[in-house]
Amino acid sequence: MEKQSENSDLEMKLFALSLFIGAASTYLLYGDYDLGKYRPYVENGAKWGWGMAIFFILAPAIWKYRWEALSFTGTLLRKAIQKLSRINVRQSFPVIQPSNENLERKSFSLLQKEKPFELGQGMADLSVPVNYLPQHDGKHQYRDALDQMNYEKELTIAFQRVGLLKSDESLNVKKVQQGPLAVKVTIDIPAGVKMSQIKGNTEDLETMLGIPSLQVVNGEFTASAALVMVRPQRPPILLRSCIEKGVDQFQKYALPIVIGVGLDGQPVVVDLVSVRNLLVAGTTGSGKSWWLNQAILGLLMAKTPDELQMVLIDPKMVELASFSDYPHVMKVVTEPKKSAQILKLLVGEMEKRYELLRKYRMKNIQQLLKRRASDKDIPPMPYIICVVDELADLMIVAKNEIEPLIQRLTQKARAAGIFLILATQRPSVDVVTGVIKSNMPSRVVFRCMTSADYSTVLGFSPGTTLLGKGDGVALIEGSFDLIRFQSPGIATDEDMAEETIQQVSGYLNQKYGHARVEHDLIGVGLEEDLDYTDLDDEEILDLEEGDDDVGEEKKLLKVLKSYIAYNEEVRVSDIQQFLGIRKQRVIHLLQMLVQEGWLEAPPEGNPRAGYQLLLTKEQIENYKRENPLHI
């Protein structure tokens, strides 16, 4: 109160002083007296007096509202700087030019001005000339997005309508990036708003903005968020343009696979040797098979038959049959029972390759291939890729046989140069089990039926709506964020894609046709061990037996021995899940192994202690050597 009183007295004194100076200045300026030669000086002094009077009158108010005045001045300066910066915004993607068309419209749309989508140029040095692949007829068009100022306006209105901003607040757009798949707008997160709140209002924002899909991710700036708005109309992406634009990766990587075209319009290419294995999921019409065909063709074009061999498992019988004539392809298998036998042969091949690596004191196939360049006595060891087009069919018919084989190959076969690509359109928990998923950290996901399917494959929700027709996300080993991409295709339609596959096949057979006859895998003859025409049904495991008809007891016991030898695991629950039989029958089989000296039974007073394995490491290795395929 005393301070307020002092301020009030000071204001009154300044006001009185102002009146006195003003009155004196008026008298000097307009008084009726003769000042002679001094009159100009007196008039100037009177004017300065009036200025001082006005200053002393306004000074208390200026001092009282000084912070509001400074804030207002700063706001004007910031707005002026923002308008200047919009003239040339630095972007990692092509700069969006403001449209000359009338921007006044009734509702927001991503589509404004047509702009050409520039395709990649150049030529990759592949085993097959890239000219064999079709290209776009001319320049495909996509629509240009709005300029940065209009995004700021439209997003501000949308945020206000969903309750993330007050009516007197506005958003600050820091960056706008565009590609053929989507537009990415980076904004400052408003004060008092959390990132989780923006993500929680994704569906409402989609409705307010009039777009089919919106993804909210962390921005590249401090306290910023990136809004990824997918285009409803996307230009077709072809494999040829991806190879031409990603030629460096294709020449550098051992097993290059095109994932797709990212948000920036650049191809996303990975090395299967680095990501180990791939799990692919997507419902019918999502683009899964379209993607799988281009991935296989890209690998076959990038590597010679001496560098790469492939086994294709196609329970649907029609998806991968077109590749059967390629010199790289050892076999296209369509029957589940033979699929299990193929996987067992690959397990045997893996074990033989490890013996060879141990012989030459190498840790992986890459070291061995470098050594072979100078030592021709080392036998050839091409990479092997096993592609399964529909995992669900195999798991329904022979889960107890298929799952352990996949587990062994995904856990150990990487160093031996054997890789798996598993695809399914039904990614439920009984198909993509925890055992399979834990050993396949790299996943490619297209549109699925339910959110549970996304969670099964990815382990979490992608946080956006996938639109189908090649719109997907990838979780690649070593990357912490999902990669949004548009899948490429071999051609723009099925007929042209099939014709291209046949043309490339003819070229490869003319150039490398001899490799099919002369080249054998280590320990596995291509035409002998993989030809089932001369086998009787009894020589192939009957994988279609149900849980109630699992064969004779000796057969179960043999399978159990192999399981224990390879896994060194004797827990009842795990064995019961593996064999698919009742717990009492598992205990009966374990008691038989106790009598044979394999196991030690739990103490009578402590049944929870479990069974103990009595075999030595040497005995286990001898059994595995004598029974390489019984797993």
Side-chain angles (χ1 to χ4, degrees), residues 356-371:
L356 188 63
L357 290 173
R358 185 174 63 177
K359 175 182 177 181
Y360 289 98
R361 297 183 179 180
M362 300 291 177
K363 291 184 177 181
N364 52 54
I365 187 175
Q366 290 79 23
Q367 295 180 357
L368 192 69
L369 293 176
K370 291 180 181 179
R371 175 81 171 272

Side-chain angles (χ1 to χ4, degrees), residues 49-87:
W50 266 110
M52 292 179 62
I54 295 172
F55 173 77
F56 284 128
I57 291 174
L58 297 178
I62 294 174
W63 180 256
K64 183 176 181 180
Y65 298 102
R66 60 189 181 280
W67 301 118
E68 290 80 356
L70 290 174
S71 177
F72 178 73
T73 305
T75 301
L76 292 178
L77 290 174
R78 187 175 71 254
K79 292 290 184 181
I81 293 173
Q82 287 178 356
K83 289 183 179 295
L84 290 174
S85 65
R86 290 183 186 124
I87 297 175

Side-chain angles (χ1 to χ4, degrees), residues 96 108-111 143 145-147 150-152 154-155 158-159 173 175-187 202 205-206 208-217 226-234 263 464-465 467 471 484:
I96 299 176
F108 174 69
S109 173
L110 287 175
L111 312 181
R143 304 237 177 211
L146 301 175
D147 61 88
N150 281 274
Y151 270 118
E152 189 170 286
E154 298 291 350
L155 289 174
F159 271 60
V173 174
K175 193 174 184 180
V176 176
Q177 303 164 285
Q178 70 167 357
L181 172 62
V183 179
K184 184 177 181 180
V185 182
T186 304
I187 64 171
T202 299
L205 289 172
E206 288 177 359
M208 298 304 167
L209 296 172
I211 55 178
S213 177
L214 174 67
Q215 183 179 8
V216 182
V217 296
L227 308 180
V228 180
M229 296 179 282
V230 179
R231 300 178 185 275
Q233 299 295 330
R234 305 181 295 279
L263 298 176
T464 186
T465 302
L467 304 180
D471 183 20
R484 186 74 175 266

Side-chain angles (χ1 to χ4, degrees), residues 438-455:
S438 63
N439 293 295
M440 305 191 77
S442 298
R443 298 137 197 192
V444 176
V445 182
F446 297 94
R447 183 179 178 89
C448 295
M449 293 295 293
T450 64
S451 58
D453 292 340
Y454 291 115
S455 299

Side-chain angles (χ1 to χ4, degrees), residues 414-484:
R414 176 186 183 183
I418 302 175
F419 303 93
L420 296 181
I421 299 178
L422 305 181
T424 180
Q425 64 181 8
R426 190 170 67 85
S428 56
V429 292
D430 58 332
V431 175
V432 184
T433 63
V435 172
I436 294 177
K437 190 166 65 172
S438 63
N439 293 295
M440 305 191 77
S442 298
R443 298 137 197 192
V444 176
V445 182
F446 297 94
R447 183 179 178 89
C448 295
M449 293 295 293
T450 64
S451 58
D453 292 340
Y454 291 115
S455 299
T456 301
V457 182
L458 296 173
F460 53 88
S461 173
T464 186
T465 302
L466 299 181
L467 304 180
K469 297 184 179 180
D471 183 20
V473 293
L475 181 64
I476 303 300
E477 183 179 10
S479 176
F480 297 100
D481 297 324
L482 287 177
I483 301 173
R484 186 74 175 266

Side-chain angles (χ1 to χ4, degrees), residues 21 133 190 350 361 377 396 553:
I21 295 175
L133 295 174
M350 176 187 70
R361 297 183 179 180
D377 293 334
I396 290 173
E553 194 172 73

Side-chain angles (χ1 to χ4, degrees), residues 234-445:
R234 305 181 295 279
I237 308 297
L238 295 187
L239 177 61
R240 175 170 177 171
S241 63
C242 294
I243 293 177
E244 289 174 339
K245 295 176 74 173
V247 59
D248 294 337
Q249 291 94 325
F250 261 79
Q251 293 175 342
K252 175 184 176 181
Y253 293 159
L255 296 175
I257 292 182
V258 176
I259 298 296
V261 174
L263 298 176
D264 57 356
Q266 298 300 316
V268 180
V269 184
V270 300
D271 189 356
L272 188 60
V273 173
S274 300
V275 303
R276 297 191 289 179
N277 306 284
L278 274 178
L279 179 61
V280 186
T283 187
T284 302
S286 63
K288 173 181 61 66
S289 297
W290 192 251
W291 181 91
L292 196 61
N293 277 272
Q294 67 83 23
I296 294 174
L297 185 62
L299 285 166
L300 296 176
M301 292 181 63
K303 298 300 172 183
T304 67
D306 292 329
E307 298 171 325
L308 172 65
Q309 293 285 298
M310 299 188 77
V311 177
L312 306 180
I313 299 177
D314 182 17
K316 292 190 285 189
M317 302 184 185
V318 295
E319 293 293 344
L320 306 180
S322 303
F323 298 101
S324 59
D325 294 332
Y326 279 69
H328 306 70
V329 179
M330 296 188 291
K331 192 75 174 178
V332 178
V333 185
T334 58
E335 299 181 21
K337 62 176 68 175
K338 294 182 180 180
S339 302
Q341 190 71 10
I342 284 286
L343 294 176
K344 288 191 176 185
L345 288 174
L346 289 178
V347 171
E349 174 67 16
M350 176 187 70
E351 297 293 347
K352 291 178 174 64
R353 289 190 172 201
Y354 272 114
E355 291 291 336
L356 188 63
L357 290 173
R358 185 174 63 177
K359 175 182 177 181
Y360 289 98
R361 297 183 179 180
M362 300 291 177
K363 291 184 177 181
N364 52 54
I365 187 175
Q366 290 79 23
Q367 295 180 357
L368 192 69
L369 293 176
K370 291 180 181 179
R371 175 81 171 272
R372 189 174 183 273
S374 58
D375 186 358
K376 298 302 181 182
D377 293 334
I378 299 177
M381 187 182 290
Y383 289 103
I384 301 177
I385 300 178
C386 179
V387 181
V388 180
D389 183 49
E390 187 45 68
L391 179 62
D393 287 351
L394 301 185
M395 297 295 284
I396 290 173
V397 174
K399 178 178 180 179
N400 290 340
E401 296 291 338
I402 295 294
E403 186 177 19
L405 294 172
I406 292 176
Q407 180 182 6
R408 290 211 64 207
L409 289 171
T410 54
Q411 284 179 340
K412 293 181 58 179
R414 176 186 183 183
I418 302 175
F419 303 93
L420 296 181
I421 299 178
L422 305 181
T424 180
Q425 64 181 8
R426 190 170 67 85
S428 56
V429 292
D430 58 332
V431 175
V432 184
T433 63
V435 172
I436 294 177
K437 190 166 65 172
S438 63
N439 293 295
M440 305 191 77
S442 298
R443 298 137 197 192
V444 176
V445 182

